[in-house]
Amino acid sequence: MTDVEDRGAPVVGLSDTDLALLETELAEIELLPRIDADAASERVVPVLRKARAAGLHVLEQRALLVQGEVAYYDGEQERAAQLAQSALKWATEHGSVFLLARAHYVLQKVFLDLGDLSLGLEHSVRAVELLGEDADPRMRLDHIARLADCLGYNRDLPGARARYRQALNMAVEIGDVDRELLVVNNWSYIEAQYGDAEAAIELSTRMQELSVTTGTELGIGRRDTIARALIRVDRLAEAEEVLEPVADPEFRLAGREGDGGAEGLLALVEVQRRRGKFAEAQRNLDVCLRLCEERNLGYVRVAVRQEQAELHAAAGDYKAAFEEHQLYARDALQLQSDERDARARTLQAMYETSEARRQSLQYRELSLRDPLTGLYNRRFVDEELPRLLAEGTTSGRPVTVALLDLDHFKRVNDTCSHEVGDHVLSALARMLEAAVDTAPDGSFAARMGGEEFLLVLSDGDQDATTQLLESLCATVRDHGWSDLTGTLPVTVSIGAAAGPSDPVPDPAQLLGRADACLYEAKRSGRDRVVCDLV
């Protein structure tokens, strides 16, 4: 794997034996980050120092790339992106195929976290293609397993399953228990989220059995995966049993989770709430909230708000539930803004280091689209809505935002399957596109996440807007859903808000008003439109 350029370079203070040892040490370190990022971080520093002193440029770049991957696991996306893009540029210029494969490997995960699933998939495919057959089997396994993850997130379940199976067979063949557990965990998670619930259960059972036979303690993340699979099939008591250790502070501390176990606690709270254990759920939610505040976990804090609203509602305190839901909407919009800024910083750090200072129009468009429905995504809303609101102020025609949420959508997923649920979401997306076709220029539809969608209408005519939304609500209700959902009805609740035309409305406040209307539509019976048109 070492390039000829290294062998021909002047080696300062290194014998052939020392050089071989340095190469062997680095090769071992490159296998560590996914399994033990802390060990990789510690061991790579002296290797990097020796490579630089000896003028071994390929080894230096490989060591820097290890630091980039460790930075990713430490939550330092900007540094990870910058180091990986720099390694990609250097490898391209110097023809280092191995380094190219490794740079694509790190960039795949960065782009997945940025929400660009298509570009993440491209990097993942290149990472597998470029890694030679002579590479360490553990490294080939890691590249294939990451491709499986990426295919899963892109909803290519047959492709993901084939790659997971390949990686799992490799792990068993070489006797690598750590990697076997990793592959089984990720495969089970993908099945639980997007695929076959029974397959997720089978995989999670295998993970538990492997843990027992090898004496490997299941950490919080893997317990969460097992619980998610059990939740999919309503085996809530078993899910609670799996998650119970997460309530122990010593167990959370020993797990060394980056979030201190907050996400695992949140899963336990959901299970306890659904089992009617409201007092226990509230105690654990309070602990989760403290962890969020101590560790500045904004993304978990938003989910805590939502779970708190659910707890209040389950306990019959609807006033408190509504107030908490309003706080959830506020925090969710702030998180969205923070994530947008973080993505921008990461991309800036990446593109400042290489020739990739421009994105192709193809990839930019893909990055603005939801992979399941083809509608625009939150990123597009963040960029386009402020511009439309400013134009609406100039023209005197206020923009209307309408949030749509499928009613009782969980029943469709639980009763019919997540695959049927995906078909329902796609069918609704086509109805939204048809509605946009009849709306004024500049209007658009977007998927905000899960079963929540957004219509942005650029016309200030309140009567026409109300009529369009009422018609859309009826279209969904009257659609022939029986082929997909049987006797289960499919309806939507819609909350809409508009204006004022002057001054320029704040996007977050406008969406907050629409969300309040959506909540009122849900509260007053669902399958209806509630508007706040100024």
Side-chain angles (χ1 to χ4, degrees):
M1 288 180 215
T2 302
D3 292 66
V4 174
E5 182 269 344
D6 268 350
R7 288 295 189 184
V11 180
V12 180
L14 280 183
S15 65
D16 287 345
T17 301
D18 288 338
L19 176 58
L21 289 172
L22 188 65
E23 291 172 339
T24 301
E25 172 70 358
L26 180 55
E28 286 297 320
I29 293 170
E30 286 171 321
L31 297 169
L32 285 175
R34 270 198 115 178
I35 304 300
D36 191 345
D38 288 343
S41 177
E42 182 178 345
R43 288 173 61 180
V44 79
V45 172
V47 172
L48 177 58
R49 184 171 61 249
K50 291 176 183 178
R52 278 179 172 162
L56 300 171
H57 302 303
V58 175
L59 294 188
E60 178 186 356
Q61 289 296 322
R62 285 169 57 184
L64 286 169
L65 195 54
V66 169
Q67 290 191 330
E69 190 176 3
V70 170
Y72 166 79
Y73 286 112
D74 287 343
E76 300 176 34
Q77 271 197 342
E78 292 174 50
R79 177 166 167 75
Q82 192 171 34
L83 289 170
Q85 195 69 42
S86 179
L88 187 70
K89 178 178 184 292
W90 194 96
T92 302
E93 292 173 349
H94 294 82
S96 176
V97 178
F98 175 75
L99 187 62
L100 273 175
R102 298 297 291 163
H104 283 297
Y105 173 78
V106 177
L107 284 170
Q108 174 259 337
K109 195 67 173 172
V110 170
F111 275 103
L112 275 189
D113 283 3
L114 289 174
D116 194 332
L117 300 184
S118 61
L119 198 49
L121 180 57
E122 178 176 329
H123 281 293
S124 191
V125 170
R126 294 293 289 153
V128 172
E129 288 176 344
L130 290 168
L131 191 67
E133 292 292 327
D134 60 338
D136 188 296
R138 293 168 293 177
M139 184 173 288
R140 292 187 62 243
L141 189 162
D142 286 345
H143 282 230
I144 291 167
R146 271 210 176 159
L147 175 57
D149 295 340
C150 201
L151 289 166
Y153 284 118
N154 275 275
R155 308 298 182 91
D156 180 0
L157 291 174
R161 287 163 182 154
R163 292 297 187 171
Y164 278 130
R165 196 170 293 112
Q166 181 184 2
L168 191 54
N169 289 338
M170 292 174 68
V172 172
E173 183 178 343
I174 63 179
D176 192 322
V177 175
D178 287 332
R179 283 176 166 80
E180 184 179 353
L181 282 168
L182 187 150
V183 173
V184 172
N185 176 79
N186 290 12
W187 189 356
S188 178
Y189 176 84
I190 289 295
E191 293 288 359
Q193 291 293 109
Y194 312 117
D196 185 336
E198 291 303 326
I201 290 291
E202 184 178 339
L203 288 161
S204 64
T205 300
R206 175 171 177 168
M207 181 160 51
Q208 289 173 296
E209 292 172 348
L210 190 60
S211 168
V212 172
T213 57
T214 61
T216 305
E217 175 64 60
L218 289 175
I220 295 173
R222 288 172 182 170
R223 288 178 178 275
D224 181 75
T225 297
I226 294 167
R228 293 296 172 188
L230 293 167
I231 290 169
R232 273 285 307 274
V233 293
D234 285 326
R235 289 162 59 176
L236 299 181
E238 294 172 70
E240 184 177 8
E241 184 180 354
V242 168
L243 290 169
E244 274 179 352
V246 181
D248 182 350
E250 292 186 6
F251 181 82
R252 294 197 303 271
L253 186 62
R256 301 185 66 189
E257 300 284 331
D259 64 1
E263 289 192 82
L265 269 175
L266 198 58
L268 177 59
V269 170
E270 178 189 344
V271 171
Q272 290 174 332
R273 169 178 57 79
R274 291 177 59 181
R275 297 195 70 203
K277 297 183 175 182
F278 301 143
E280 292 176 48
Q282 187 62 63
R283 282 197 299 272
N284 285 319
L285 191 62
D286 291 341
V287 174
C288 186
L289 177 59
R290 287 198 297 273
L291 283 172
C292 291
E293 292 170 347
E294 290 170 3
R295 296 171 180 261
N296 195 27
L297 303 173
Y299 66 102
V300 184
R301 181 70 179 85
V302 170
V304 168
R305 288 279 193 208
Q306 187 176 29
E307 185 59 43
Q308 184 65 77
E310 295 281 0
L311 261 178
H312 284 318
D317 191 344
Y318 298 108
K319 181 176 183 295
F322 176 68
E323 291 171 349
E324 193 68 35
H325 188 82
Q326 286 182 308
L327 293 173
Y328 159 70
R330 182 202 66 188
D331 287 358
L333 289 168
Q334 182 60 52
L335 177 64
Q336 181 180 331
S337 176
D338 293 344
E339 288 177 339
R340 182 185 64 241
D341 292 344
R343 288 196 300 269
R345 289 194 302 271
T346 301
L347 288 170
Q348 181 181 4
M350 185 183 305
Y351 292 125
E352 280 179 351
T353 65
S354 75
E355 77 281 9
R357 295 180 183 279
R358 56 182 175 82
Q359 287 179 288
S360 71
L361 292 176
Q362 175 189 2
Y363 287 128
R364 174 167 172 73
E365 177 65 14
L366 284 172
S367 74
L368 298 175
R369 294 282 183 179
D370 171 60
L372 174 64
T373 65
L375 295 180
Y376 287 114
N377 57 21
R378 283 177 177 269
R379 178 178 175 184
F380 180 84
V381 174
D382 289 346
E383 295 179 3
E384 190 68 8
L385 183 55
R387 186 188 66 78
L388 282 179
L389 292 174
E391 286 185 358
T393 297
T394 302
S395 65
R397 301 170 65 185
V399 172
T400 299
V401 298
L403 287 170
L404 302 87
D405 193 87
L406 280 160
D407 299 322
H408 300 300
F409 184 63
K410 187 178 181 302
R411 289 194 307 195
V412 174
N413 281 333
D414 290 348
T415 304
C416 304
S417 81
H418 279 253
E419 184 178 1
V420 169
D422 286 349
H423 285 307
V424 170
L425 293 171
S426 297
L428 177 58
R430 304 293 79 78
M431 297 178 202
L432 293 176
E433 288 176 333
V436 168
D437 287 342
T438 66
D441 291 343
S443 302
F444 67 87
R447 184 183 180 197
M448 300 297 278
E451 63 267 29
E452 187 172 81
F453 295 81
L454 175 72
L455 265 182
V456 176
L457 305 171
S458 61
D459 192 344
D461 187 331
Q462 296 183 10
D463 292 339
T465 296
T466 303
Q467 183 178 353
L468 183 150
L469 295 177
E470 292 284 1
S471 176
L472 177 61
C473 195
T475 297
V476 176
R477 180 191 316 121
D478 299 336
H479 182 73
W481 296 106
S482 58
D483 289 345
L484 279 175
T485 63
T487 59
L488 279 180
V490 177
T491 60
V492 292
S493 298
I494 304 177
S501 59
D502 185 40
V504 179
D506 176 79
Q509 291 180 357
L510 190 59
L511 287 168
R513 285 170 49 209
D515 190 67
C517 289
L518 175 61
Y519 185 88
E520 176 60 25
K522 292 279 190 182
R523 192 191 64 81
S524 56
R526 297 182 169 82
D527 187 22
R528 66 195 63 213
V529 179
V530 173
C531 297
D532 176 12
L533 305 180
V534 177

